[in-house]
Amino acid sequence: MIGSRRDPWAVVEHWQNGPAPVAHAVRTALVALAALGWVALPPPARAAVTCTASLDRATLRVGEQVVLTISAEGDARRVAEPQLPDLPGFDVYGGGQSQNFSFVNGQVHINQSYTYYLRARKEGEFVIPPIGINADGQTYRTVELRLKVLPAGAPVPQPPIARSALVPSSAGDQDYFVSMSVSQDTVVAGQQVILTFGFYQGARTGLFDSPQYTPPATEGFWRDDLPPERHSTASIRGRLFDVTEIRYALFPTHAGTLTIGEAVVRMPEDAFSMFFRRARPRGDSVLRAPAISILVRPLPAPTPAGFTGTVGSALSLRSTADRTELPAGEALSVKLALEGEGHLAAASHPTFPQIEGVRIHDAGSGLDSKPSGDRLYGTLTDEKLLIPSKEGTLTIPPVEYVYYDTGKKRYVTLSTSPIAVRVTPGSVEETSTVLGGAKTSIELIGHDIYHIHAITGSMRPYGGPLPGRPAFWALLLTPGAAWLLSGTLARRRERLLADPSGRRASRAARDARRRLVGEGPPAARVGVALRCYVADKSGRAAAGLTREDVTVWLRDALVSEPTSARTLGLLDRCDQAIYAGSAAQDDGLVREAQALIAALEKEARHA
């Protein structure tokens, strides 16, 4: 068959069906050719890894810190930690790392980021050179960054920090995704920030189990939930989603750059898809909403006289009396109510003025805090009992309260209206005792009833006169002892009620030790306990208490220089551990704080 064409696979089949040695040789040759062809083929192309470096701001002052974030994203299996170059003029602290892996169509995709905190030591203009990152044995480099450091106290133009995107760019292609956003990214200490977390689920996508939600960490904030959850639907890029929103009210406790941690949702395994082996790719088993940075500015200086440390919006103060006329010696109930938007649980109570010829007692206080719309509102109440000692017209003077209004961006002074009360002559025929605002006359009437019984043989013999029995004297002395004890307790309670600041200061150490054994990281507990201790001793609110305020109190309280240095140093170390990610998060801080509080109790003088 010369010149004819024959199927090559037919030739192979012919030789395979031929004699055994020939067939074996043909099979061996085919396997060798296939192996050589596989080796000669080039390896599959791998997408390049993208490395980026960014700063949360480009201008800062000496003593402040900037956040450096280095990220690597691409089809890599292993990414090594970057090696930072020498950065003269800065103290560098590690802030942790985060990883996110996905496996789609047999390809691994990684997204890994590293965070560092750079604290400026001197002024000038600095350049951060390109930083190398090793991914699967190959080195990638970021672009260079520039920083400008101004002298301490110099004004810095602060651009707003970008908020987290409401929805990701690929939202229309996913069955589930999450988002997290804030109402404001630049506030003052104590100002309300609304944090909104959203979970989006495709309208036709069902879950057999509920997702497991882990809320974000909010160190450095007071946090209040804003129930209930909101449920709605949204059309995103032509696709309908069911939306669940969870909201929080956050109140920063001090100035600086504070970070709201990432929120995590763990998706349940889709048993239905696994059973039927659906071809469509499943979403990530873990959904993460990225962290958000909040720039917190200190309150404007100078602070006016009488400033309470309270921060809120549209606060109002009013006072009311339960009646306009009463006899002398009876009690008049006066209520003060401070209400408006803000975290009033941390607000200072209004100071009631002293009135000549009137005894003033605390009758209790209360707080009612609840959401209204998208904000948190509260009402702080104080009740006083006023007991006038003489007749005439009693004028209750105005009560003033100074706070910082975040809506008006200035300090505002509130004042109540004066209240006039007519005091009539009191009754002098009877002795009265004031109990809860009412006059009660106590009249003791004794009746002696004698019973005559015939003496029977079963009765015990006469034990002698009563003065000779110990039980008689015990019963006789018991009322006097009880009267002395009740009088002592009443005088002590009256002294405490007449001096709320002194009562608060006397309990400062006990409350601080209780906060040290609470929940949360040791550095956070120690920082809150020390600031609240100083606030209780100085009669101020913990919110808005700055390092300068602590320094002034230590000086006024005549605390020794070594103890003052220990106090400020421990506060700085706690802030560094929380916001710079240092390794000082251990119980050694708690033991040091306990010893420091004991030293302050011995040295501090309370006016």
Side-chain angles (χ1 to χ4, degrees):
M1 290 219 168
I2 299 174
S4 65
R5 295 183 178 180
R6 191 173 184 183
D7 186 0
W9 293 108
V11 175
V12 173
E13 183 179 0
H14 170 73
W15 284 106
Q16 286 179 340
N17 295 330
V22 177
H24 177 72
V26 171
R27 285 196 296 270
T28 303
L30 289 175
V31 171
L33 288 173
L36 289 174
W38 180 80
V39 173
L41 288 175
R46 171 170 291 183
V49 175
T50 302
C51 296
T52 59
S54 62
L55 298 166
D56 66 340
R57 51 179 168 161
T59 306
L60 68 160
R61 292 181 288 240
V62 173
E64 296 180 343
Q65 67 182 17
V66 64
V67 181
L68 170 64
T69 304
I70 304 173
S71 302
E73 181 178 5
D75 299 334
R77 294 181 179 274
R78 182 178 181 276
V79 176
E81 183 174 357
Q83 298 297 323
L84 294 184
D86 292 335
L87 300 176
F90 293 92
D91 294 325
V92 182
Y93 308 95
Q97 59 177 305
S98 63
Q99 291 180 333
N100 187 13
F101 290 92
S102 62
F103 191 78
V104 180
N105 296 330
Q107 192 70 31
V108 176
H109 188 84
I110 189 173
N111 189 340
Q112 187 160 342
S113 64
Y114 298 85
T115 303
Y116 302 90
Y117 294 88
L118 312 180
R119 185 183 297 275
R121 294 200 308 262
K122 60 181 180 179
E123 60 182 289
E125 295 188 1
F126 301 89
V127 176
I128 301 177
I131 301 171
I133 302 178
N134 188 287
D136 287 349
Q138 186 172 353
T139 302
Y140 301 85
R141 293 192 176 276
T142 65
V143 298
E144 70 176 25
L145 302 173
R146 295 183 178 274
L147 265 174
K148 185 176 182 180
V149 181
L150 302 177
V156 178
Q158 295 283 1
I161 303 173
R163 303 179 187 177
S164 173
L166 183 59
V167 295
S169 58
S170 58
D173 302 328
Q174 303 177 17
D175 291 334
Y176 312 98
F177 63 91
V178 295
S179 69
M180 191 165 65
S181 61
V182 292
S183 60
Q184 300 176 84
D185 46 37
T186 303
V187 295
V188 297
Q191 184 174 353
Q192 183 168 195
V193 177
I194 304 301
L195 173 65
T196 303
F197 170 82
F199 174 70
Y200 293 74
Q201 173 185 343
R204 296 185 179 181
T205 304
L207 289 176
F208 287 94
D209 299 315
S210 299
Q212 300 176 2
Y213 168 60
T214 302
T218 53
E219 295 292 343
F221 295 89
W222 297 103
R223 183 171 80 181
D224 287 278
D225 296 340
L226 296 178
E229 296 181 2
R230 291 184 175 182
H231 299 276
S232 60
T233 58
S235 177
I236 301 176
R237 298 177 180 87
R239 187 176 179 185
L240 194 63
F241 286 85
D242 295 325
V243 185
T244 301
E245 287 186 346
I246 301 175
R247 295 171 300 128
Y248 307 93
L250 305 180
F251 302 87
T253 59
H254 57 84
T257 300
L258 306 184
T259 300
I260 301 170
E262 66 176 9
V264 179
V265 173
R266 298 188 178 274
M267 303 294 296
E269 293 294 334
D270 191 348
F272 188 80
S273 296
M274 294 176 62
F275 181 79
F276 289 98
R277 300 190 180 279
R278 292 181 177 174
R280 68 175 180 84
R282 297 171 55 208
D284 293 339
S285 59
V286 178
L287 305 178
R288 301 179 186 274
I292 302 176
S293 295
I294 302 293
L295 179 62
V296 184
R297 303 180 186 276
L299 294 176
T303 57
F307 176 54
T308 59
T310 301
V311 177
S313 179
L315 298 185
S316 63
L317 180 67
R318 67 178 187 275
S319 62
T320 57
D322 63 342
R323 44 184 167 168
T324 59
E325 181 177 341
L326 78 162
E330 291 195 9
L332 174 71
S333 175
V334 178
K335 288 185 177 181
L336 298 174
L338 176 70
E339 59 184 355
E341 176 190 329
H343 187 61
L344 297 188
S348 299
H349 290 254
T351 301
F352 200 86
Q354 296 295 324
I355 306 174
E356 184 180 358
V358 178
R359 289 183 295 162
I360 303 176
H361 302 277
D362 286 331
S365 60
L367 174 66
D368 181 17
S369 183
K370 59 185 178 181
S372 178
D374 291 334
R375 318 293 289 181
L376 182 70
Y377 289 81
T379 301
L380 182 66
T381 58
D382 272 342
E383 184 176 3
K384 305 289 184 181
L385 289 181
L386 278 63
I387 306 175
S389 58
K390 57 183 179 180
E391 60 183 285
T393 301
L394 169 63
T395 301
I396 302 174
V399 178
E400 293 189 347
Y401 193 84
V402 183
Y403 78 102
Y404 182 80
D405 193 300
T406 58
K408 299 178 180 178
K409 297 183 179 180
R410 59 182 176 87
Y411 295 97
V412 175
T413 301
L414 304 177
S415 179
T416 63
S417 301
I419 300 176
V421 179
R422 181 170 176 265
V423 181
T424 60
S427 175
V428 297
E429 287 81 7
E430 57 185 8
T431 303
S432 62
T433 303
V434 176
L435 297 174
K439 184 178 70 175
T440 303
S441 299
I442 302 177
E443 181 181 3
L444 178 63
I445 302 176
H447 296 278
D448 293 331
I449 302 176
Y450 298 94
H451 300 276
I452 301 176
H453 298 278
I455 299 177
T456 63
S458 61
M459 302 183 90
R460 291 179 298 176
Y462 175 63
L466 290 178
R469 304 180 186 182
F472 169 79
W473 291 105
L475 293 175
L476 186 64
L477 296 176
T478 296
W483 180 81
L484 290 174
L485 178 61
S486 63
T488 302
L489 294 176
R491 285 191 296 272
R492 180 177 180 273
R493 176 175 175 81
E494 184 176 355
R495 287 196 303 270
L496 292 176
L497 292 177
D499 184 16
S501 300
R503 178 177 57 175
R504 181 183 174 190
S506 65
R507 299 179 179 178
R510 183 193 65 182
D511 294 341
R513 295 188 184 99
R514 176 176 53 81
R515 293 184 178 97
L516 288 175
V517 297
E519 298 181 356
R525 284 183 277 145
V526 171
V528 171
L530 287 179
R531 284 189 170 88
C532 291
Y533 175 82
V534 175
D536 292 339
K537 285 290 188 180
S538 58
R540 299 191 53 179
L545 194 70
T546 64
R547 191 178 189 277
E548 289 73 17
D549 296 332
V550 177
T551 304
V552 171
W553 177 80
L554 291 170
R555 183 192 62 206
D556 294 344
L558 303 180
V559 177
S560 65
E561 190 65 27
T563 306
S564 299
R566 285 174 56 196
T567 305
L568 297 175
L570 186 56
L571 283 174
D572 291 340
R573 287 165 55 198
C574 291
D575 291 342
Q576 177 179 315
I578 297 173
Y579 308 110
S582 68
Q585 299 269 6
D586 54 38
D587 289 332
L589 287 175
V590 176
R591 292 190 294 271
E592 184 177 350
Q594 291 172 342
L596 179 60
I597 291 173
L600 290 173
E601 280 294 293
K602 292 181 180 179
E603 298 182 12
R605 301 293 185 267
H606 177 62

